[in-house]
Amino acid sequence: MKHTYSWQSCPICGNPKAYRVRDDTKAERFPVYCKRCKRESLITIAPKSRIMSF
């Protein structure tokens, strides 16, 4: 089974390669740390959709 991945941008600074997620990933209130702006944000990821920031 082949999975596809996509790079998601930081919701704060817009860093285009902040983190990588699989298309079937599902997470709620997941903490993500951006190395560029050095800030943490909570995100919600729904399968095969875009990131929704809190």
Side-chain angles (χ1 to χ4, degrees):
M1 181 179 207
K2 186 177 178 180
H3 297 286
T4 55
Y5 295 87
S6 62
W7 284 99
Q8 300 296 322
S9 60
C10 172
I12 299 170
C13 72
N15 179 13
K17 289 193 174 182
Y19 49 93
R20 191 174 102 165
V21 295
R22 262 178 36 178
D23 286 340
D24 62 345
T25 300
K26 182 170 58 172
E28 187 175 326
R29 298 185 53 82
F30 184 71
V32 174
Y33 179 78
C34 178
K35 293 178 185 178
R36 183 172 165 191
C37 67
K38 297 181 177 31
R39 292 177 69 184
E40 185 178 279
S41 57
L42 295 176
I43 61 167
T44 297
I45 304 171
K48 295 186 180 183
S49 71
R50 303 205 77 161
I51 303 302
M52 298 171 280
S53 179
F54 283 111

